[in-house]
Structures are given as C-alpha cells and as structure tokens.
C-alpha cells in the first residue's frame, strides 16, 4: 500500500470517533471497597486523624513544645455510628485548601506531604475508600487555622455520573466549634452497613471498640482521645514484669548480672527502620490446675490469654495484637507452638520510619508482611528472646508456686519504656544478622537438689469417676488426689 493510501485509511479511522475506555464509578468503587472490612475502613479514618496531628506538629514545632510522653494530648476524635448515618469529627488540624484541591480527594496518592512524618499511609485512598464503603452520599467539612472553612459533597447523583470525576469545593462561614479539624459525615448508608450500626441487631460496634482499644493503644496512652457513641475508649495494657533493671542508675557504671525476672531486649536500626523489642512475662506462672480453673471461671475462655503472644507496632499503631502463630515465630526453628503453658509470655516490637513503605505492613495496614526483609531479620531476635521464657516455664513446670518468690519482686512497666530506657551499659553489641544492642536476662533456675518428680497422664473421665466412687465414694474428687492415692496404694503393696 502506498504512503498516500495509508494516510487516507488512517484519516478515515480517526474520523470514526473516540472510544470510552475509562472505568465507571460504580465499578471502581466496588473494586476499591470489596476487600476491606468495615472495621478497617473506620480505622483508616482514625489513622488520618493521627496523620493530621503529626502534620500540624511539624508545622508548629518551633512555636509549641509538647511533652514527649504525651505528644497527642488535647487531640480527640468523636465517632457517631447510627443506623441513619456515620460521622467522625476531630480537632487534628484540618485539610489544607491546596491539598484538598490537588490530592486529598483523588483516588490515589499524588503529593509527598507525608514524607517527613511517621505515617503508615501508602496509597492515599483511606478516606475515600471508607466513605464509599459505607454509603452513597457524604459531606467533608474542614477548618484550618489560617484558611477558614470549606466543604466538599459527594452525592448519589455524582456517583451515577461517569462523565465527570470533579467535585466542588465550597467556602462556608461556620467552621468547627472545636477549632481546626475535619468532619466527615456519611449518609444514605447501605442496608448492610446500617444494620451493623444498630447495637440491638449486631455486635459490630462492640468489636470496633475492641479494635480501636488495641490498634490505637499506644497513641491513646500518649494522650489521644477516641469517643464512640458517647463512650471514651480505654487502651489495652502493654506491660511486662521486670525486677529493677537500674534504668535510673548511672549509665556509665557497668553493673554485674543480677538474677531475676527481666525481659529480653533488642534495639537497633535495620535499613533505616528503628526497632525496639521487649519480650518477657506479663503475669505469674500458673499450674495446670490453676489454668483449668481460670478457664472454667471464664466460661471456657482464658481471660488473661488475650495479652499473651506478640504485639507488633508500626509508627505507634498496633498492627498485630497478641499473635501466637508461626508468623511471629511460634513453632519455628525448635520453638514450641503456643499453648496454655505459655500464657504468661508476651512480647512487643516497635518499628519506626518516616518512609512507610519500609515498614513490614500488609496493604490493609492491619497485618504483618512476613516476607519483609526487615521483619524476617527482627523475627530472628523475637525467636531468640522467646526461647528464654519458654525454657523457663518448662524448667519450672510443676513448681510454679515456688517461682512466685521471684515474681513478687517484679513490677509492671510499659513494654516499650523498658526497651527505650534500658542503659546501653547493660547491653551487648551484636553484629549478625544485623547490628544492634541486646540485653539477655539471667533468669532464676529451680534448685537441683529436689527429689520429687511430677507424674502426669490422661485417662477417660468415666474411668476416673469410677475409681473416685470406689475409693472416695465421691465423683468430684480432684483427679490429682486420685492419682496420688493410687500411687501410694501401689507403693505400699511393693513394700510388703
């Protein structure tokens, strides 16, 4: 075909008209929200509040010094979740007008405004995804200190119009009464969401309270306040038992090892991520009988068990709470799998970085990316520390009450404070597989002069009851007493 003919064909094809290849809003919204749970969508909105605090503190750092241990004091988020609407209101600084126009309402991150704060946001979709997850119309009202107030509305008509993705930013005279902040209101809730916000029909809000209590535990401890339907949420406790580690002693003085109940501690920097790790006991050891009684009193659930296992924190947000799986090392490389004997063991790991992409987070921000190189290196330290305490419980098995002498000399301390405050004079430098500082506890051992041994076995309940009736005429006798009596009876026969 000659060049002139090719141009004519190309011209005729071009004249046919454009083909629409963009997504419909309904399809985009469904795909965006299908893989996120409602709880996680709401937690994303609270994450935005924290990011707002960090931005405002960065901007005013030279003007206002805040206490290091309570940097979030005075900041608050109030959540209202009812069958007819969802609302979250905060006093965390508001959305800058320029950011609102350029990126805050885009479906994906464009700006780099969070490069200098310790956020866990990576994609810039949290607010929009939460709104679209819950309802068909919404209003975002924002007030900043220097720029006044504006609102942006997302209506059901906008959702149906695939020709334009633009939204109107409208100035308003009346801002928020609590000063600079943001109000997000979602209405026309989907029926499934409306039902979840009805406390009489669904336990969702109770579960959400629990998720907020542990996911934001550290931030709430540092002063942030979260209110859900009129109730202030209290954080879960992240404490470990420790004998005096000499945190307030002169760090230049090298002190000898002191035997006692101490956590294992690691701190270091791996690929630009600051890591602090503490693992130890958060409660005294219990015998099998005491654990069974605790289980029965709890209606089949061990109430204290909720704190056992590993809790992992990324930039002050808890992303994994009380994990007892192989993800955190249980059952790997010679470590036992978790079971009730280890109910007293808990560990806390904190990762901090201004580059959120380096944090070992899943895309939902509520789980750990176990393939992360940083995490895999730290997990080695987690497992090293865990061994001290699983071995301790094995060595004291059957002698738990004797170990109470050592536990009585301990006091609960915030897990991260132990790692942060431990003098480096008490720690050892390690270089493989990464450089850092380690504190290795010298845990007490049971005396070796003991002549008693523990005998433990399992028999069918019906047979145990039969023997109890024959010997004691009482089926409610403690199985341990039955076993002891049978042993004594056999031993007496041998002596004859």
């Amino acid at each position: 075909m000659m060049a002139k003919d090719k141009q004519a064909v190309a011209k005729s094809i071009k004249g046919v008209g454009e083909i629409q290849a963009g997504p419909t809003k309904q399809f985009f919204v469904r795909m965006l929200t299908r893989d996120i749970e409602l709880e996680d969508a709401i937690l994303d909105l609270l994450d935005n509040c924290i990011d707002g605090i960090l931005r405002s503190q960065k901007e005013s750092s030279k003007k206002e010094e805040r206490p290091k241990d309570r940097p979030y004091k005075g900041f608050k988020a109030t959540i209202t979740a009812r069958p007819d609407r969802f609302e979250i209101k905060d006093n965390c600084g508001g959305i800058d007008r320029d950011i609102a126009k350029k990126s805050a309402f885009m479906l994906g991150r464009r700006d780099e405004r969070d490069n200098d704060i310790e956020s866990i946001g990576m994609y810039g979709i949290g607010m929009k995804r939460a709104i679209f997850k819950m309802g068909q119309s919404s209003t975002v009202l924002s007030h900043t200190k220097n720029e006044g107030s504006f609102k942006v509305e997302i209506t059901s008509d906008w959702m149906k119009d695939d020709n334009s993705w633009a939204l109107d930013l409208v100035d308003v005279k009346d801002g928020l009464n609590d000063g600079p902040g943001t109000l997000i209101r979602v209405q026309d809730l989907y029926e499934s969401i409306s039902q979840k916000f009805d406390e009489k029909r669904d336990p969702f809000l109770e579960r959400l309270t629990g998720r907020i209590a542990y996911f934001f535990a550290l931030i709430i401890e540092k002063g942030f306040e979260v209110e859900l339907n009129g109730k202030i949420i209290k954080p879960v406790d992240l404490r470990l038992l420790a004998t005096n580690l000499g945190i307030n002693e002169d760090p230049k003085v090298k002190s000898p090892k002191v035997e006692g109940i101490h956590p294992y501690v690691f701190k270091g920097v791996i690929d630009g991520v600051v890591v602090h790790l503490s693992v130890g006991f958060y409660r005294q050891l219990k015998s099998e009988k005491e654990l069974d009684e605790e289980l029965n009193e709890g209606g089949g659930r061990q109430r204290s068990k909720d704190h056992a296992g590993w809790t992992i924190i990324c930039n002050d947000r808890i992303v994994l709470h009380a994990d007892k799986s192989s993800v955190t090392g249980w059952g790997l490389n010679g470590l036992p799998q978790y079971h009730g004997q280890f109910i007293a063991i808990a560990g806390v790991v904190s990762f901090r970085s201004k580059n959120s992409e380096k944090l070992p987070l899943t895309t939902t921000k509520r789980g750990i990316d176990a393939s992360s190189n940083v995490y895999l290196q730290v997990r080695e330290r987690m497992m090293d520390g865990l061994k001290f305490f699983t071995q301790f419980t094995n060595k004291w098995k059957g002698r738990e009450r004797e170990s109470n002498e050592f536990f009585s000399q301990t006091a609960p301390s915030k897990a991260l404070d132990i790692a942060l405050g431990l003098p480096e004079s008490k720690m050892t430098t390690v270089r493989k597989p990464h450089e850092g500082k380690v504190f290795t506890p010298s845990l007490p051992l049971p005396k070796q002069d003991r002549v008693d041994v523990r005998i433990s076995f399992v028999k069918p309940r019906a047979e145990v009851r039969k023997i109890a009736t024959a010997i004691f005429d009482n089926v409610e006798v403690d199985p341990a007493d039955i076993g002891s009596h049978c042993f004594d009876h056999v031993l007496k026969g041998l002596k004859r």
Side-chain angles (χ1 to χ4, degrees):
M1 186 181 291
M2 297 180 62
K4 187 175 181 181
D5 295 331
K6 289 182 180 180
Q7 290 176 1
V9 172
K11 187 175 181 180
S12 64
I13 292 174
K14 186 176 180 180
V16 171
E18 293 182 347
I19 297 173
Q20 293 297 321
T24 65
K25 288 176 185 173
Q26 291 291 341
F27 171 78
F28 195 91
V29 166
R30 281 198 299 269
M31 295 302 293
L32 187 67
T33 61
R34 65 182 297 179
D35 292 328
I36 188 170
E37 297 294 331
L38 178 59
E39 293 173 15
D40 292 331
I42 294 172
L43 294 176
D44 272 350
L45 295 177
L46 283 172
D47 273 332
N48 289 345
C49 298
I50 305 306
D51 288 345
I53 296 171
L54 296 175
R55 291 185 203 109
S56 64
Q57 289 179 338
K58 182 179 69 173
E59 294 167 1
S60 62
S61 58
K62 295 181 180 179
K63 303 174 184 177
E64 182 182 0
E65 288 291 333
R66 304 187 69 84
K68 290 183 179 180
D69 60 335
R70 303 274 289 172
Y72 304 108
K73 186 178 181 181
F75 293 102
K76 179 178 181 179
T78 303
I79 300 172
T80 303
R82 304 293 185 196
D84 64 329
R85 76 187 192 284
F86 172 88
E87 191 173 287
I88 180 168
K89 178 183 177 183
D90 69 60
N91 64 342
C92 302
I95 304 171
D96 289 341
R97 190 176 297 261
D98 189 52
I99 294 297
K101 290 179 178 179
K102 292 181 179 179
S103 62
F105 291 88
M106 288 187 68
L107 294 167
R109 185 177 297 285
R110 186 185 226 178
D111 65 279
E112 299 179 351
R113 59 184 170 146
D114 291 345
N115 285 358
D116 199 32
I117 67 170
E118 292 180 341
S119 171
I120 61 172
M122 291 178 280
Y123 306 107
I125 60 174
M127 178 178 72
K128 287 78 69 176
R129 184 165 60 175
I131 288 172
F132 295 148
K133 179 76 176 179
M134 288 187 272
Q136 301 179 67
S137 63
S138 60
T139 301
V140 178
L141 175 65
S142 178
H143 176 74
T144 59
K145 186 176 181 180
N146 299 320
E147 298 179 327
S149 303
F150 67 82
K151 72 174 180 179
V152 175
E153 291 185 322
I154 302 175
T155 65
S156 56
D157 289 338
W158 179 87
M159 291 289 292
K160 297 172 186 175
D161 182 7
D162 294 324
N163 295 319
S164 174
W165 288 69
L167 293 165
D168 292 327
L169 185 148
V170 180
D171 288 324
V172 293
K173 292 182 179 179
D174 298 324
L176 301 173
N177 295 331
D178 298 334
T182 304
L183 168 68
I184 299 172
R185 181 184 295 117
V186 186
Q187 295 173 300
D188 295 330
L189 300 179
Y190 297 115
E191 180 62 27
S192 60
I193 303 299
S194 180
Q195 290 180 10
K196 286 185 178 295
F197 292 160
D198 187 343
E199 295 178 89
K200 295 179 181 178
R201 300 176 65 182
D202 197 296
F204 169 79
L205 292 176
E206 183 181 347
R207 294 197 306 271
L208 177 62
T209 299
R211 293 287 303 277
I212 294 172
Y214 77 73
F215 187 76
F216 291 97
L218 202 60
I219 289 173
I220 293 173
E221 273 195 354
K222 292 183 177 182
F224 188 56
E225 191 173 292
V226 182
E227 180 181 310
L228 174 58
N229 286 348
K231 297 178 182 178
I232 301 296
I233 295 178
K234 295 184 178 180
V236 297
D237 205 13
L238 299 175
R239 296 174 186 268
L240 296 175
L241 297 176
T243 313
N244 177 29
L245 290 174
I247 289 177
N248 297 320
E249 295 175 5
D250 186 347
K252 297 179 181 178
V253 178
K254 189 79 173 180
S255 57
K257 283 189 176 181
V258 179
E259 190 177 77
I261 303 295
H262 308 301
Y264 169 99
V265 174
F266 167 79
K267 48 187 176 182
V269 180
I270 303 173
D271 192 22
V273 179
V274 179
V275 180
H276 289 92
L277 180 160
S278 298
V279 58
F281 294 112
Y282 74 96
R283 53 173 279 180
Q284 292 185 349
L285 302 185
K286 294 288 183 73
S287 67
E288 287 185 16
K289 181 180 177 181
E290 290 170 322
L291 289 174
D292 288 341
E293 290 174 352
E294 185 176 291
L295 182 64
N296 291 331
E297 289 174 4
R301 294 181 301 171
Q302 289 172 322
R303 289 168 293 179
S304 299
K305 186 177 178 180
D306 292 339
H307 298 302
W310 284 100
T311 293
I312 298 180
I313 302 166
C314 290
N315 284 351
D316 277 353
R317 284 84 154 181
I318 294 175
V319 297
L320 199 62
H321 177 60
D323 183 84
K324 308 167 184 68
S325 72
S326 59
V327 170
T328 51
W330 289 97
L332 299 179
N333 295 347
L335 272 174
Q337 293 185 345
Y338 178 86
H339 55 81
Q341 178 186 331
F342 306 128
I343 192 174
I345 302 173
V348 176
V349 188
S350 168
F351 297 88
R352 303 191 74 96
S353 176
K354 289 182 178 179
N355 183 350
S356 59
E357 293 183 0
K358 288 190 174 184
L359 298 173
L361 282 169
T362 59
T363 55
T364 63
K365 301 184 290 186
R366 313 289 176 241
I368 284 295
D369 176 9
S371 65
S372 158
N373 182 54
V374 170
Y375 181 69
L376 288 174
Q377 291 187 59
V378 173
R379 189 170 68 177
E380 292 295 317
R381 294 295 172 196
M382 293 164 63
M383 294 164 64
D384 285 345
L386 200 56
K387 286 176 185 175
F388 285 95
F389 303 97
T390 57
Q391 291 173 356
F392 180 92
T393 60
N394 285 331
K395 290 171 182 175
W396 286 90
K397 191 173 177 63
R399 304 176 67 173
E400 290 83 4
R401 289 189 178 181
E402 293 178 41
S403 71
N404 287 350
E405 174 190 346
F406 300 102
F407 281 96
S408 66
Q409 301 168 22
T410 66
S413 299
K414 293 179 181 178
L416 289 183
D417 284 356
I418 293 173
L420 291 166
L422 190 64
E424 293 198 358
S425 62
K426 296 182 180 294
M427 305 184 78
T428 303
T429 299
V430 291
R431 304 197 183 280
K432 294 183 179 181
H434 45 256
E435 189 167 333
K437 295 278 187 177
V438 169
F439 173 80
T440 303
S442 180
L443 300 175
L445 296 173
K447 295 179 180 178
Q448 297 300 314
D449 59 354
R450 182 177 178 183
V451 294
D452 296 340
V453 296
R454 178 185 179 85
I455 300 175
S456 178
F457 53 87
V458 177
K459 291 293 181 182
R461 184 183 297 273
E463 293 179 6
V464 174
R465 285 173 172 264
K466 192 181 230 181
I467 294 175
T469 302
I471 297 175
F472 299 100
D473 195 25
N474 180 5
V475 296
E476 300 300 330
V477 174
D478 192 315
D481 294 333
I482 299 171
S484 179
H485 179 89
C486 292
F487 181 90
D488 292 341
H489 178 73
V490 172
L491 183 63
K492 189 181 293 185
L494 292 174
K495 287 180 179 179
R496 287 176 186 168

